Amino acid sequence: MMSLSQEALLVREALVAEGLETPLVANALNSQQKKEKIEGHMRSIMETLGLDLADDSLAETPHRIAKMYVNEIFAGLDYATFPKVTVIENKMKVDEMIMVKDISLTSTCEHHFVTIDGLAHVAYIPRGKVIGLSKINRIVQFFARRPQVQERLTQQILLALQTLLGTKDVAISIAATHYCVKARGVMDSTSYTTTTSLGGVFKTQPDTRAEFLAGLKR
């Protein structure tokens, strides 16, 4: 088993302590074993639906889905894939808000296993540390690559960044389209869901909160 980075361990421990970790049950399956089991189950589902797996268009679909689940869209369930994070001393003494907008994310609704597609906006006020900007995008995408509910996803990103940066002064907003609403059920193709999670001065100081919210509109 691949050892986890110190950053991955810290983030996982923080999420567990706050009750924000994705509901997980440990198993001893390695990546290949997971793919084999998923492929077999997917084959059974397709056969139950009456699909002809002898057809050349469908024959490899169970394998493709298994590979996609483990290596791609659910890769964030494995902390071995947690991004390598660069956090450095705030030598320039930056003390104003840093904001990264329009971070694309694609996740999966844990209730129906269909797509959630949206944008995340992340801000923080540096104290002793600053983080490489691309690492913010990677952390967002790590937690998106799980079965999710948007509310938990928002809070997971917030707590991960607070843990790594050593400050509560972090704010997250996500706006996303849920295909469980768009493609089934009510079939509303235009609505989207916005969630916001604020920490530190973003929560306690109205001016800082207003600056963040105003930045979302630019």
Side-chain angles (χ1 to χ4, degrees), residues 89-99 123-130 167 169 201-202 205 208 211:
E89 182 184 350
N90 182 15
K91 294 179 181 178
M92 293 181 290
K93 308 299 181 184
V94 178
D95 60 1
E96 299 291 341
M97 183 178 74
I98 295 173
M99 188 173 191
Y124 76 100
I125 298 175
R127 300 304 176 191
K129 301 175 184 177
V130 292
T167 177
D169 300 334
V201 295
F202 289 100
Q205 295 187 12
T208 307
E211 181 184 3

Side-chain angles (χ1 to χ4, degrees), residues 32-49:
Q32 183 58 35
Q33 290 169 329
K34 290 176 182 178
K35 291 175 194 175
E36 290 170 359
K37 286 182 71 71
I38 292 168
E39 180 175 347
H41 291 309
M42 195 65 222
R43 184 174 298 278
S44 296
I45 290 170
M46 293 177 68
E47 289 171 346
T48 300
L49 290 172

Side-chain angles (χ1 to χ4, degrees), residues 158-174:
L158 179 87
L159 184 55
L161 287 168
Q162 288 176 328
T163 301
L164 295 169
L165 289 165
T167 177
K168 295 291 186 183
D169 300 334
V170 180
I172 315 292
S173 183
I174 294 175

Side-chain angles (χ1 to χ4, degrees), residues 1-5 8-9 11-12 21-22 24-25 27 29-32 34-35 69-84 138 141-147:
M1 181 179 293
M2 185 181 300
S3 60
L4 302 184
S5 68
L9 290 169
V11 168
R12 185 176 66 179
E21 182 58 283
T22 300
L24 295 168
V25 177
N27 64 47
L29 299 176
N30 62 33
S31 177
Q32 183 58 35
K34 290 176 182 178
K35 291 175 194 175
Y69 274 11
V70 175
N71 292 351
E72 297 174 314
I73 66 174
F74 296 143
L77 292 171
D78 183 357
Y79 276 95
T81 70
F82 192 79
K84 183 178 179 181
R138 293 182 186 279
Q141 291 164 2
F142 172 81
F143 285 108
R145 291 176 183 144
R146 297 176 168 199

Side-chain angles (χ1 to χ4, degrees), residues 5 7 81-87 134-135 138-139:
S5 68
E7 292 82 7
T81 70
F82 192 79
K84 183 178 179 181
V85 175
T86 305
V87 177
S134 69
K135 307 307 179 184
R138 293 182 186 279
I139 289 168

